[in-house]
Amino acid sequence: MGCSKVAKSFELIIISRLLVGICAGLSSNVVPMYLGELAPKNLRGALGVVPQLFITVGILVAQIFGLRNLLANEDGWPILLGLTGVPAALQLALLPFFPESPRYLLIQKKDEAAAKKALKTLRGWDSVDAEVAEIRQEDEAEKAAGFISVLKLFRMRSLRWQLLSIIVLMGGQQLSGVNAIYYYADQIYLSAGVKEEHVQYVTAGTGAVNVVMTFCAVFVVELLGRRLLLLLGFSICLTACCVLTAALALQDTVSWMPYISIVCVISYVVGHALGPSPIPALLITEIFLQSSRPSAFMVGGSVHWLSNFTVGLIFPFIQEGLGPYSFIVFAVICLLTTIYIFLIVPETKAKTFMEINQIFTKMNKVSEVYPEKEELKELPPITSEQ
C-alpha cells in the first residue's frame, strides 16, 4: 500500500487490503484463543481483554495519524497506509520466540514434556504439576469427543447452550450499533456546533475514551466478573441508544439537545468498551474445551464479521428510512441481548475450564461434559465374560 502511489496502481491497495483482511480475520480469532489457553486461571480474564485493548489503541493511533495536518493528506496517505506493516514486522520478529500453547501440546499433540517446558517458560518457575494435572483432566474428559468440526459442533447436544451463547454475544456485539454510532458521530458533533475542521479531533478524543475504558476493563474483569460487565455494558448501550433517539428527534426544537447527543455517543462508547467489545471473545475461550475451541472461534468470528458487514451495508438505508429513530433498532438488539445474558450466561470468573463446562453440562441436560461419540451409541454394548 505504501508503494501504490509511486507505482500508480490502485490494484496494489485492493490486493493489500485483502491480505490485511485475512490477517485481521485470523488474528481476531487466534490471538484471544492463544492467550486464553496459556493464561493462569486468576489472570485469564485480564489477558483475554488485552487483545481488545490493543485494537482500541490501534484505532486511536490510526485516528491520530489520520488527522489531516499529519498524514491524511495528498503527500502523507501512502505513508499512513504503509504503517500497517510496522506491527506486522514486529510480530514476525517476536512470535518465533513465543512458546506453543501448553494445552495444545498436551491435549492435541500428546507431548507432556513439551507442555511442561512451555508452562515453565510462561510461569517462570518449575512447579507446574498442578496445572499439568488440570490440563490432563480436561484431556481425559475429551477423549470420547475427538476433534469437533464446525458441523459436529452444531449437532452436539452437550454444546448447545455454549454455541447459542456465542452466536448471541458475537452478534449482539456488532448488531448493537457500535459502528453506526461511529458513523453517526461526526454528524452529531457538527449539529452540536463543533466546527468541521475540529470534528476530527473530537473523534480522536472519543477513541481515547474507548482506550481508557477498555484499559479499565482489563483490571476490573477479574474483580467484577464477565457476566456483570456484559450486563452493565449492554445496559449502558441500551440507555444511550434510547436517549440518543430522543435527542436526535428533538435537536431542531430544543437548543441544548445536540449536547445530550454528544453525551450519549460518549456513554455508548464507554458501555461498549466495558463489556460488549472485550468479553465475548474471552468467553469463547472459557466455555469451550480444547477439542471444540477452534471450531467455536470459527463460528464466533464468522458471526462477528458477518454482523459487522451487515451493519455497514444496511445502516445507511436504515438511516434514510427511519431518520432520527434509527437507533431504536439497536436499542431493541441491546435489550434482547441483555435479557439473554441475564437468563442464560453464567459467571466464569476464577473457574477452571472443567468447572465452567460442568455448569453447561447441567444446562444442556447431559450426563457428561462430552458424551460418547454418537456413532458409538448404535453399537451393541460390550458384555464381559466371567
Side-chain angles (χ1 to χ4, degrees), residues 5-20:
K5 185 178 180 181
V6 175
K8 296 181 179 178
S9 171
F10 68 87
E11 292 89 353
L12 281 179
I13 297 178
I14 295 172
I15 294 170
S16 299
R17 290 294 296 170
L18 287 171
L19 294 173
V20 169

Side-chain angles (χ1 to χ4, degrees), residues 178 181-182 189 206 209-210 213 232-244 259-276:
V178 61
I181 286 283
Y182 278 112
Y189 298 146
T206 307
V209 171
N210 198 5
M213 294 313 302
L232 180 63
F234 274 110
S235 298
I236 292 173
C237 292
L238 166 63
T239 305
C241 284
C242 292
V243 178
L244 180 59
Y259 302 102
I260 298 296
S261 299
I262 292 179
V263 172
C264 289
V265 169
I266 295 173
S267 299
Y268 184 97
V269 170
V270 168
H272 215 272
L274 279 176

Side-chain angles (χ1 to χ4, degrees), residues 51-375:
Q52 183 62 32
L53 172 63
F54 278 92
I55 288 173
T56 61
V57 169
I59 292 170
L60 178 60
V61 169
Q63 288 172 331
I64 292 172
F65 282 120
L67 296 173
R68 283 188 286 275
N69 56 349
L70 285 180
L71 293 177
N73 50 56
E74 189 174 345
D75 296 323
W77 69 262
I79 300 172
L80 179 63
L81 295 180
L83 286 175
T84 306
V86 174
L90 284 172
Q91 284 187 309
L92 284 173
L94 296 175
L95 283 174
F97 300 99
F98 286 21
E100 184 56 87
S101 160
R103 291 180 182 277
Y104 170 78
L105 291 171
L106 182 55
I107 296 176
Q108 290 174 260
K109 290 295 184 179
K110 308 300 180 186
D111 191 342
E112 186 169 327
K116 284 186 175 180
K117 183 180 177 181
L119 275 172
K120 289 175 183 178
T121 302
L122 289 164
R123 303 294 182 257
W125 55 73
D126 293 334
S127 180
V128 294
D129 291 340
E131 282 195 80
V132 171
E134 188 257 313
I135 298 172
R136 198 182 292 118
Q137 183 184 12
E138 183 180 340
D139 183 29
E140 288 295 324
E142 292 201 287
K143 279 184 177 177
F147 172 74
I148 297 175
S149 65
V150 173
L151 290 176
K152 188 175 181 182
L153 190 66
F154 277 93
R155 292 199 303 263
M156 290 187 69
R157 181 182 172 186
S158 59
L159 296 173
R160 179 178 56 192
W161 282 110
Q162 293 96 310
L163 183 61
L164 184 58
S165 296
I166 289 309
I167 291 172
V168 170
L169 289 174
M170 296 303 280
Q173 179 195 69
Q174 293 300 311
L175 297 177
S176 59
V178 61
N179 291 321
I181 286 283
Y182 278 112
Y183 177 86
Y184 213 102
D186 287 1
Q187 295 180 42
I188 291 171
Y189 298 146
L190 288 170
S191 67
V194 179
K195 294 182 179 179
E196 188 172 353
E197 61 269 23
H198 294 157
V199 165
Q200 57 181 338
Y201 301 107
V202 181
T203 303
T206 307
V209 171
N210 198 5
V211 172
V212 171
M213 294 313 302
T214 309
F215 185 74
C216 292
V218 172
F219 292 95
V220 301
V221 66
E222 293 296 351
L223 179 66
L224 300 179
R226 290 73 156 139
R227 188 171 184 270
L228 180 57
L229 284 181
L230 282 171
L231 289 170
L232 180 63
F234 274 110
S235 298
I236 292 173
C237 292
L238 166 63
T239 305
C241 284
C242 292
V243 178
L244 180 59
T245 299
L248 291 174
L250 297 172
Q251 68 178 0
D252 294 330
T253 56
V254 182
S255 60
W256 45 268
M257 272 300 169
Y259 302 102
I260 298 296
S261 299
I262 292 179
V263 172
C264 289
V265 169
I266 295 173
S267 299
Y268 184 97
V269 170
V270 168
H272 215 272
L274 279 176
S277 283
I279 303 300
L282 165 63
L283 280 178
I284 299 179
T285 302
E286 293 188 321
I287 67 178
F288 289 91
L289 295 183
Q290 191 71 28
S291 63
S292 57
R293 195 174 290 128
S295 296
F297 265 100
M298 191 181 299
V299 173
S302 298
V303 171
H304 170 96
W305 290 111
L306 284 171
S307 301
N308 185 306
F309 173 77
T310 301
V311 172
L313 188 67
I314 69 171
F315 180 68
F317 300 102
I318 294 176
Q319 185 187 6
E320 185 178 345
L322 298 179
Y325 301 100
S326 304
F327 290 95
I328 287 294
V329 176
F330 303 119
V332 170
I333 293 172
C334 288
L335 176 62
L336 293 175
T337 309
T338 303
I339 293 171
Y340 180 89
I341 293 166
F342 182 78
L343 295 176
I344 302 297
V345 177
E347 181 54 69
T348 58
K349 180 184 73 171
K351 292 182 172 66
T352 66
F353 292 141
M354 287 300 299
E355 289 170 341
I356 295 166
N357 272 269
Q358 284 164 5
I359 295 172
F360 278 99
T361 297
K362 296 176 182 177
M363 292 173 60
N364 291 318
K365 298 179 180 178
V366 291
S367 57
E368 298 177 20
V369 176
Y370 282 122
E372 64 270 17
K373 290 183 178 180
E374 279 80 354
E375 60 265 27

